[in-house]
Amino acid sequence: MQNKLGLVLLGIYCNVVLSQNVRTFEKPSDWQSKISTSLSGSYKIGDVNGVGRQFDGIGGLSGGGATSRLLMNYAEPYRSHILDFLFKPNFGASLHILKVEIGGDGQSTEGTEASHMRNANDENYTRGYEWWLMKEAKSRNPNIKLVGLPWAFPGWIGQGTVWPYKNREVTAQYITKWVLGAKSEHNLAIDYVGIWNERPFDVEYIKTLRRTLNSAGLSHVQIIADDGSVHSAISYDIMHDQELAEAVAVIGTHYPGTVSSKTTKSTGKPIWASEDYSTFNDVIGAGCWARILNQNLVNGNMTATIAWNLITSYYNDLPYKRCSLMTANQPWSGNYVLDDPLWVTSHTTQFAQPGWKYLQTVGHLSGGGSYVALTDQKGNLTIIIETMSHDQSICIRPPLPAYTVEDQNATFVLEGSFKGKVTKMHMWFTQLGQSGNRDVFLNKGSVAVDKTGQVSIHLPIDSVITLSTITTAMKGSYPTPPAPAEFPLPYSDSFDKTPGFSEPFNFADQAGSYETFHNNTSDDGHEWTFRQVVEERPVTWCSDPNQTITVIGNYKWSHITVEVSIKSESTYGAFVAMRVDKGGCDAREARGVYFWLMKNGSIMLTSDLTAKTMLEQCYFYWECFVADYSELGWNKVKLTIDSSNKIYAYLNGKLALEHTITKDSNIPDNGFVALGTSDYGTAQFDDFSVTSA
């Protein structure tokens, strides 16, 4: 995901519905009547002069970060339905590429993802859910390409610094072991790895990584560099460094605005939009996606485009609500939404496969919009056309210059190996816009190609049309999922191990990493618990807080009671909180009501995660008269905000602190429930519950 500089812009476009020009759906009969009255253009489609660049595919990004966190929580059959819509060939998005975060225990946009190595002697390839997601994708499409990219790194990689290149060999081994673990533990063959998401690249590190991969028998794993916004920098270095040129297989750029620099094109390397889109998944987001899928190739020679993000499986009130291809963030209800960008994806992915070739005869339409053509060089031909207007296709970034699009007619003239051999093409149609009767990914039957190799169609504004010889496309469907519902209240979790996953359901880590933990003995009644396990601050991608925190629940919660048992271990203190108002890269600024148990013998109520704004505090040994407090053992904690905005904090069944919220308290009216620690140290939590106050 983008760095913090882009957060404000992303918030604008992800959360604000822009004004639109409403267009009604046009029936096929209307198209024929407009052939003679609309602007017309003729476009040659053929391989007379050979073919162009190889098509590398369309993909989605899980991570950057924790964007698929809630997906694993879905019950069957809904979880399988969602996965089918994303990955099953000839069904839904039918994605060709799955890119995942190589977790580093640090915040990377929506949350943290677990590292496979928390120290030099630690290797664990069962943490997190990206392994599971890659296996699910592969089970549906064995040909899907897998890409791994780090955002954060565990602290030991930095060797006392915030720089992952401090010891290049160590970092290269860390990434290489992730690739090897994917194969040995999950039988997953990783196809590509990246360097460091949207952060400075190091030429010598890239060379070191290439040598390390080769030495491990992974010469087939290709390197994408540098996954940033200024791709001309790595391109210049490639042009002047032969070893680097041999190390880098693909130039990856983020949010390129459909253009590539002259230097980048001159390298001769495949160019990918290795992260793009990031736009609220309404009809404007679908228009953005449709436009860049074509124009990344037409304008920028980019042969693959990967959407951030794959699926909104994170809480809506974390940053970047619904900036994804589809939405599935209510596992408690089973509800999911097939958003328009998913079906826009199908216009390409169901009609061309990686390894196909773009024809050289691609370009812009005379009335605005663009077209691309691809072939498998075995007689099949696909043409994809988009006519997205400016206001209906604004992406998050960069700014989109003004342009116009008109209703128009197009005649595609087939030449070369297609002339005389392609006699009809199957047509699939999407009409975007704000009208209630718009349709997406409709099978419109076939259109004839005349004896001269010409096929003529009408192109309404804000439409996506695919013409293809491929006959296997399908708009997949399942029974309507359950209706959406609020997060359940009351809610409880005893943290019995979640089968197949290292994290319990519904918690979303915002700093640190929390896992289900099995104690060697259950004599104290706490066999399975929820544990914060990161003991060293990561090499961060965001400006992570010095505390750790995980959130859960309904952001609208206001007057509730939270109960939990807490055992501080190596941490100096632990807390339970409610009305927590921020997550993501802004987690350090999170306000709310925090009830802390500290090892200096004190308990506190604060209104912020950093514990700088004290509401109430007392020390057990001379101020607080609460029996049975154990600094090293288990303590039962209860925090309530009642309907009169009175805060009550209980410790081991006795009232310990209370505070009345006033206008000057600067406490949010609502927010998430949270658990956390005062530093990067271990602590356990158990017997968690939330009820109405």
Side-chain angles (χ1 to χ4, degrees):
M1 190 44 196
Q2 56 280 327
N3 59 30
K4 198 160 184 178
L5 182 60
L7 301 189
V8 174
L9 285 175
L10 185 54
I12 292 172
Y13 290 115
C14 270
N15 296 292
V16 178
V17 178
L18 304 176
S19 62
Q20 280 97 31
N21 298 317
V22 176
R23 301 196 59 81
T24 58
F25 179 78
E26 304 196 38
K27 300 176 182 178
S29 58
D30 296 332
W31 300 4
Q32 301 302 318
S33 65
K34 289 191 176 185
I35 292 277
S36 60
T37 59
S38 298
L39 175 71
S40 297
S42 180
Y43 311 95
K44 295 180 179 180
I45 301 290
D47 53 6
V48 174
N49 297 316
V51 295
R53 290 177 174 248
Q54 177 175 295
F55 174 59
D56 293 318
I58 307 301
L61 202 170
S62 172
T67 54
S68 302
R69 177 64 183 88
L70 298 175
L71 179 56
M72 68 181 191
N73 304 18
Y74 272 81
E76 296 293 353
Y78 308 115
R79 187 170 70 180
S80 289
H81 293 175
I82 294 164
L83 293 165
D84 284 350
F85 280 116
L86 291 171
F87 301 119
K88 186 177 179 180
N90 304 314
F91 191 81
S94 305
L95 292 169
H96 305 132
I97 303 168
L98 173 59
K99 182 176 180 178
V100 302
E101 177 176 350
I102 300 175
D105 291 325
Q107 175 62 245
S108 50
T109 298
E110 308 295 342
T112 70
E113 298 208 20
S115 172
H116 61 288
M117 291 181 69
R118 295 202 165 112
N119 60 64
N121 299 312
D122 170 52
E123 292 184 54
N124 186 320
Y125 301 100
T126 63
R127 294 176 185 138
Y129 39 86
E130 302 295 4
W131 312 110
W132 164 79
L133 185 61
M134 287 189 283
K135 287 189 288 187
E136 292 291 335
K138 274 286 188 182
S139 71
R140 289 163 172 79
N141 179 6
N143 296 319
I144 196 167
K145 300 296 183 182
L146 301 177
V147 184
L149 175 67
W151 269 249
F153 296 84
W156 68 275
I157 290 288
Q159 298 186 354
T161 75
V162 295
W163 194 240
Y165 311 132
K166 174 71 173 178
N167 187 321
R168 299 182 182 98
E169 288 75 16
V170 166
T171 306
Q173 283 288 348
Y174 171 80
I175 298 299
T176 299
K177 287 183 177 181
W178 182 85
V179 177
L180 291 170
K183 184 64 177 177
S184 64
E185 297 294 326
H186 303 284
N187 197 30
L188 292 168
I190 303 299
D191 298 286
Y192 301 88
V193 293
I195 308 305
W196 188 16
N197 183 70
E198 294 175 354
R199 293 296 182 264
F201 63 90
D202 181 274
V203 168
E204 294 307 314
Y205 168 69
I206 296 173
K207 297 176 186 178
T208 300
L209 177 60
R210 180 70 274 162
R211 291 192 294 269
T212 306
L213 289 166
N214 292 349
S215 297
L218 299 171
S219 58
H220 62 281
V221 178
Q222 301 186 67
I223 293 176
I224 302 173
D226 69 309
D227 281 298
S229 59
V230 188
H231 48 88
S232 56
I234 188 74
S235 302
Y236 178 86
D237 288 336
I238 286 171
M239 294 287 284
H240 293 84
D241 188 325
Q242 183 60 34
E243 185 181 357
L244 179 65
E246 293 173 358
V248 175
V250 174
I251 296 176
T253 180
H254 290 191
Y255 309 95
T258 77
V259 296
S260 299
S261 70
K262 182 178 179 180
T263 304
T264 299
K265 293 178 179 178
S266 297
T267 65
K269 298 282 184 184
I271 309 166
W272 289 14
S274 51
E275 183 180 318
D276 213 340
Y277 174 59
S278 291
T279 304
F280 189 85
N281 59 17
D282 61 3
V283 291
I284 292 181
C288 155
W289 187 229
R291 177 174 56 79
I292 64 178
L293 283 180
N294 264 20
Q295 295 195 28
N296 276 348
L297 182 280
V298 172
N299 302 334
N301 289 356
M302 285 169 264
T303 55
T305 298
I306 300 174
W308 189 89
N309 59 68
L310 173 72
I311 185 168
T312 294
S313 283
Y314 50 93
Y315 291 110
N316 276 340
D317 294 286
L318 290 173
Y320 319 121
K321 173 183 176 181
R322 288 180 53 186
C323 293
S324 58
L325 299 181
M326 70 172 288
T327 302
N329 59 359
Q330 287 202 355
W332 48 87
S333 72
N335 179 259
Y336 61 87
V337 182
L338 302 177
D339 298 295
D340 288 349
L342 180 136
W343 298 115
V344 166
T345 311
S346 305
H347 275 278
T348 299
T349 55
Q350 292 201 31
F351 302 94
Q353 297 301 315
W356 282 40
K357 297 286 186 177
Y358 281 107
L359 298 179
Q360 296 183 47
T361 49
V362 301
H364 293 277
L365 300 165
S366 58
S370 64
Y371 65 98
V372 298
L374 303 99
T375 179
D376 64 355
Q377 297 184 283
K378 298 176 182 178
N380 281 310
L381 173 67
T382 292
I383 305 169
I384 306 151
I385 308 127
E386 60 81 21
T387 59
M388 294 300 112
S389 62
H390 180 277
D391 290 352
Q392 289 288 329
S393 65
I394 296 175
C395 301
I396 166 58
R397 58 173 178 171
L400 183 61
Y403 67 90
T404 59
V405 178
E406 302 178 47
D407 277 343
Q408 57 194 296
N409 303 312
T411 297
F412 295 98
V413 183
L414 307 191
E415 298 183 331
S417 65
F418 309 109
K419 185 175 182 180
K421 295 183 179 179
V422 176
T423 59
K424 67 178 181 180
M425 302 189 78
H426 304 280
M427 179 172 162
W428 289 74
F429 176 78
T430 290
Q431 174 74 68
L432 297 174
Q434 294 298 302
S435 62
N437 62 343
R438 72 179 188 278
D439 287 293
V440 291
F441 202 55
L442 293 181
N443 184 349
K444 306 297 285 187
S446 60
V447 294
V449 180
D450 69 20
K451 294 180 180 179
T452 66
Q454 298 188 40
V455 55
S456 298
I457 60 172
H458 179 66
L459 307 177
I461 297 176
D462 296 324
S463 64
V464 188
I465 298 173
T466 299
L467 301 174
S468 182
T469 58
I470 295 296
T471 61
T472 54
M474 181 175 70
K475 187 174 184 179
S477 65
Y478 284 116
T480 302
E486 298 284 5
F487 192 97
L489 188 70
Y491 180 84
S492 63
D493 197 336
S494 59
F495 304 114
D496 292 336
K497 186 170 175 58
T498 308
F501 299 101
S502 60
E503 301 97 339
F505 288 165
N506 298 327
F507 281 88
D509 303 345
Q510 300 301 301
S513 189
Y514 289 72
E515 297 178 353
T516 303
F517 181 72
H518 184 250
N519 285 292
N520 292 328
T521 176
S522 58
D523 292 345
D524 58 7
H526 300 282
E527 181 179 4
W528 287 100
T529 65
F530 187 39
R531 191 185 194 212
Q532 201 296 117
V533 294
V534 178
E535 297 189 78
E536 183 178 6
R537 181 180 173 83
V539 175
T540 60
W541 187 76
C542 292
S543 180
D544 292 21
N546 294 322
Q547 300 76 23
T548 78
I549 181 171
T550 185
V551 302
I552 190 172
N554 187 340
Y555 194 81
K556 298 176 184 177
W557 282 345
S558 180
H559 303 109
I560 57 172
T561 295
V562 183
E563 295 186 67
V564 66
S565 295
I566 298 177
K567 181 181 181 180
S568 294
E569 296 176 310
S570 66
T571 185
Y572 188 69
F575 67 81
V576 60
M578 61 177 66
R579 296 192 183 183
V580 175
D581 68 345
K582 285 185 174 66
C585 290
D586 292 328
R588 66 166 45 244
E589 301 171 5
R591 301 195 64 79
V593 175
Y594 297 78
F595 180 28
W596 302 80
L597 305 184
M598 306 301 291
K599 284 187 175 176
N600 62 356
S602 75
I603 57 174
M604 304 183 294
L605 284 174
T606 72
S607 62
D608 61 334
L609 176 61
T610 58
K612 293 180 179 178
T613 307
M614 194 72 63
L615 301 176
E616 304 290 343
Q617 181 180 27
C618 70
Y619 289 85
F620 287 104
Y621 303 122
W622 57 88
E623 292 178 338
C624 299
F625 299 97
V626 181
D628 303 323
Y629 171 64
S630 173
E631 288 188 357
L632 301 178
W634 286 97
N635 292 281
K636 185 68 176 178
V637 174
K638 177 179 176 181
L639 181 63
T640 295
I641 301 180
D642 68 14
S643 58
S644 63
N645 270 343
K646 191 75 175 283
I647 303 170
Y648 298 96
Y650 296 84
L651 183 59
N652 295 322
K654 295 186 178 181
L655 181 63
L657 296 171
E658 56 184 307
H659 180 84
T660 300
I661 298 174
T662 66
K663 292 181 179 179
D664 298 326
S665 297
N666 197 21
I667 293 172
D669 294 331
N670 52 271
F672 293 115
V673 166
L675 304 173
T677 62
S678 63
D679 52 27
Y680 283 91
T682 58
Q684 294 188 54
F685 303 85
D686 200 4
D687 303 323
F688 173 81
S689 69
V690 186
T691 57
S692 297

